[in-house]
Amino acid sequence: MASTGKPDFDLYRPSEEHDALRDAIRSLAEAKILPHAAEVDEASRFPQEALDALVASDLHAVHVPEEYGGAGADALATVIVIEEVARVCASSSLIPAVNKLGSLPVILSGSEELKRTYLRPLAEGSAMFSYCLSEPDAGSDAAGMKTRAVRDGDHYILNGVKRWITNAGVSEYYTVMAVTDPDKRSKGISAFVVEKSDPGVSFGAPEKKLGIKGSPTREVYLDNVRIPATRMIGDEGTGFATAMKTLDHTRITIAAQALGIAQGALDYAKGYVKERKQFGKPVADFQGVQFMLADMAMKLEAARQLTYSAAAKSERVDSDLTFFGAAAKCFASDVAMEVTTDAVQLLGGYGYTRDYPVERMMRDAKITQIYEGTNQIQRIVMARNLP
């Protein structure tokens, strides 16, 4: 992959290295991922072609530090990779996005042994990482989880159900949040690495979803899963704090996904209205259409600047990261929903059919307003962390 560099984050804007990375990932996405995007959605199958292409180019988990075999990419480089993949296929963009989500707790709080054991296979592309926080009765109220981890000598035994787990069944590794002390609520939650091959780990049927159909979403069942105590991430009782710290950083990757989806829809709509003729001239010549395109582009660029600013704050770990991470995710996903809906409108009846990609993009955009915390929750987070 192209060098990502370490730009000056005090006065932030993308560097030449970031621009080169964007060119590289866009070319890869258009050549290797775009041709399969519609069929992946139609068949609701995992985009193996995208995974193979990303791994071959070392773009599947660019955030992994160099000392563990990764590219050591900064937060903006990761955003750009996800954005450019999402521009052609939102499902495929969840490969680099969820690899970061699942492994970041290990990077932030894990022991050196855990980092060596689990980050190297991730960097090599021989394993993917997922994140297990939500449960059937614990969504926005994640601290209300019921999955238990009970100490048994040098091991913990895990029992419970995790729901809405992205790439479940495909990933080899899972960061699992579980209750170790029921009397302490959030301070009684600990984090663990669970492996797909651990006895007692199984998966539910894939969810039948509105969008991102190429990314499997399944329940993860933990039935007396016995794991070494050394697989705890950080100290006992610190799991919830690690989970929230992780989301401060990874909500920005959802903003990046939203940017990419919206950009793909805008690009397609721009081309369509220049070619489509009504009343003897291209639709693009009508002022009403021009106003729609201008608003779409303006809002998308505002969302991009907010997202890139949040990425810079993620890299620096600024004190106001919680606000900006939530703001970027919330604003970019709202913009993506609006832009993709307008793109469908600009294509008229054609936009409402699966023969054109904007219909898929509109469906895919919706989830960005929901996962990693609904946008209603993001507004609560922002209000409690005003800069």
Side-chain angles (χ1 to χ4, degrees), residues 234-308:
D235 295 330
E236 187 170 300
T238 64
F240 191 78
T242 295
M244 295 302 102
K245 188 184 299 184
T246 295
L247 293 177
D248 283 345
H249 293 275
T250 59
R251 282 172 177 149
I252 300 164
T253 68
I254 302 306
Q257 184 187 45
L259 291 179
I261 295 169
Q263 188 66 62
L266 177 58
D267 289 348
Y268 196 91
K270 282 192 302 183
Y272 178 87
V273 297
K274 291 177 182 178
E275 296 179 0
R276 174 69 170 171
K277 292 185 178 180
Q278 291 290 280
F279 306 102
K281 58 181 178 180
V283 173
D285 288 352
F286 292 99
Q287 190 178 62
V289 170
Q290 293 171 356
F291 284 179
M292 285 181 69
L293 290 168
D295 283 343
M296 292 161 73
M298 174 179 64
K299 292 172 184 177
L300 176 54
E301 188 56 33
R304 180 171 286 113
Q305 294 303 318
L306 178 57
T307 300
Y308 288 7

Side-chain angles (χ1 to χ4, degrees), residues 191-262:
F192 302 87
V193 176
V194 172
E195 299 181 10
K196 179 181 177 180
S197 59
D198 287 331
V201 175
S202 61
F203 305 95
E207 301 288 350
K208 299 177 180 178
K209 306 190 301 286
L210 174 71
I212 56 166
K213 293 183 177 182
S215 177
T217 304
R218 304 168 73 177
E219 287 187 325
V220 176
Y221 303 128
L222 305 165
D223 184 12
N224 289 321
V225 177
R226 185 181 179 86
I227 63 172
T230 53
R231 286 212 223 147
M232 178 180 282
I233 302 172
D235 295 330
E236 187 170 300
T238 64
F240 191 78
T242 295
M244 295 302 102
K245 188 184 299 184
T246 295
L247 293 177
D248 283 345
H249 293 275
T250 59
R251 282 172 177 149
I252 300 164
T253 68
I254 302 306
Q257 184 187 45
L259 291 179
I261 295 169

